Amino acid sequence: SPALDLALSGGIPTGTWVIMSGAPKCGKSLTSLQLAANAQKAGMKVFYSDVECRLKKMNLTGIAGLDLNNFDIIQSTKEKILSAEDHLNTLIDLIKSEPHSVFILDSSSALCASKEMVEEITSATRALGPKLLASFCRQMGGVIPVQDSIIIIIQHLIANTSGYGVPWMEDGGQKIRYQVDVK
């Protein structure tokens, strides 16, 4: 997109971390798919970690130029429901073994740790996703640039209930905000 390229001073360079956040249903996933199609035109392979299992055929076939033969989807199946650790460890393995690729995590806000998946739901449980995402950032911080890859992390906006600062903020912890190159 010329408008997006202009806003980003030429587009998204390889070797970068990207956060994409916004209001519900504003087009974060579809925008990431369009970026994936553009990256494929530049010879890059795409890996899409569909944490929410919401990626549908209509989403994929609606993106002009998206080559589904060069597009791998990581998502839960009936045989195996993936935890946050499964998604992030799979991405780590792929990032190390597939240079000059695009990796999309949709969304980090929906990551559910294996411990969380087996516990009862209570209000006293703090989500472990941000901690796992911080560890992922520490492990992959220097790897993404070396592998000449791009990682796009989609995040939800949540209400800031502290009473201080902005009314809405990105879900997923602070570490990713330090790691990101393009927001």
Side-chain angles (χ1 to χ4, degrees):
S1 161
L4 190 56
D5 286 347
L6 181 63
L8 296 173
S9 300
I12 299 172
T14 58
T16 59
W17 290 68
V18 178
I19 285 181
M20 195 178 300
S21 63
K25 305 301 174 205
C26 72
K28 298 177 293 291
S29 298
L30 290 177
T31 301
S32 73
L33 289 172
Q34 185 59 61
L35 291 170
N38 292 349
Q40 287 176 332
K41 291 174 190 168
M44 300 178 83
K45 188 166 184 177
V46 178
F47 297 89
Y48 196 104
S49 190
D50 183 19
V51 178
E52 300 171 342
C53 284
R54 293 185 45 232
L55 197 57
K56 308 283 188 275
K57 184 177 180 177
M58 68 179 185
N59 304 123
L60 299 171
T61 57
I63 302 297
L66 186 63
D67 177 8
L68 297 180
N69 294 320
N70 199 21
F71 187 90
D72 291 348
I73 301 171
I74 303 140
Q75 65 182 188
S76 294
T77 64
K78 288 180 182 179
E79 296 78 29
K80 171 84 170 137
I81 302 298
L82 300 178
S83 66
E85 295 91 338
D86 294 327
H87 278 282
L88 295 174
N89 285 323
T90 299
L91 284 173
I92 287 170
D93 292 343
L94 289 167
I95 290 166
K96 289 178 178 178
S97 65
E98 297 283 345
H100 197 63
S101 295
V102 174
F103 304 93
I104 300 169
L105 178 62
D106 187 4
S107 77
S108 67
S109 304
L111 289 171
C112 185
S114 56
K115 181 180 177 187
E116 237 181 316
M117 292 174 86
V118 296
E119 292 180 346
E120 287 187 29
I121 295 175
T122 69
S123 62
T125 303
R126 185 171 179 151
L128 298 173
K131 252 185 167 173
L132 294 170
L133 189 59
S135 178
F136 175 77
C137 288
R138 285 190 298 274
Q139 289 184 41
M140 295 292 99
V143 180
I144 290 288
V146 168
Q147 291 291 74
D148 198 33
S149 294
I150 297 171
I151 184 157
I152 299 170
I153 299 175
I154 297 173
Q155 292 189 316
H156 298 166
L157 293 180
I158 58 172
N160 178 0
T161 57
S162 72
Y164 302 100
V166 297
W168 295 95
M169 56 194 240
E170 291 160 338
D171 186 21
Q174 291 295 324
K175 182 66 176 164
I176 186 62
R177 291 182 187 92
Y178 288 103
Q179 187 65 56
V180 73
D181 301 297
V182 177
K183 183 175 174 193

